[in-house]
Amino acid sequence: MYGDEAAVRRILTELGDTWAVVGLSSNRQRAAYGVAATLQRFGKRVVPVHPKAETVHGEQGYASLADIPFEVDVVDVFVNSDLAGAVADEAVAKGAKGVWFQLGVVDEAAYERTRAAGLEMVMDRCPAIEIPRLGR
């Protein structure tokens, strides 16, 4: 398990409410769309990060993490595992406090690098499943 229950709780309740969701587009059929809506319902600001830089759920999108002109607390990653490590490295460079790799997204080396850089990280889990469990 990558990211114990304490790490899940810290990311969801302590690190801040601005979440960059990498891979979020206006495609309602994609998991990122529904997860982002759930995060918003629980008080998170969801910032779409996608090459199309679309506005999603009322929030301006950006083509990359580096393009976001404000601080990001958590980076939620909806890309294939082979691309996720680079996103984790960008999250570290951006100054995020946490990284969340979605269900099925696993990169052990990225997990180790991200944790070594001092960030909280959870991998192969979904915040839309975890956040209601917190009873907030």
Side-chain angles (χ1 to χ4, degrees):
M1 183 68 66
Y2 298 98
D4 58 17
E5 295 304 316
V8 168
R9 181 172 290 279
R10 282 190 300 273
I11 291 173
L12 290 172
T13 65
E14 299 174 18
L15 297 189
D17 291 332
T18 301
W19 283 51
V21 181
V22 178
L24 175 57
S25 72
S26 62
N27 183 344
R28 294 172 184 260
Q29 305 306 311
R30 304 289 300 196
Y33 191 89
V35 170
T38 299
L39 290 170
Q40 279 188 325
R41 280 197 307 277
F42 281 87
K44 306 298 182 190
R45 178 182 183 190
V46 173
V47 181
V49 179
H50 189 278
K52 294 181 183 177
E54 299 172 300
T55 297
V56 183
H57 297 306
E59 286 285 348
Q60 167 64 50
Y62 297 89
S64 71
L65 287 173
D67 291 341
I68 300 173
F70 48 83
E71 290 186 13
V72 169
D73 300 310
V74 178
V75 176
D76 189 6
V77 182
F78 278 94
V79 299
N80 293 331
S81 295
D82 59 341
L83 303 174
V87 177
D89 296 338
E90 291 170 25
V92 170
K94 179 71 179 164
K97 300 172 195 154
V99 175
W100 192 298
F101 280 10
Q102 284 294 326
L103 288 171
V105 180
V106 176
D107 181 330
E108 293 178 11
Y111 181 85
E112 295 302 326
R113 285 194 313 273
T114 303
R115 294 291 297 134
L119 281 71
E120 291 281 356
M121 185 163 179
V122 171
M123 191 162 59
D124 194 25
R125 294 178 82 164
C126 180
I129 293 171
E130 304 296 338
I131 200 166
R133 295 179 180 170
L134 298 177
R136 291 180 65 196

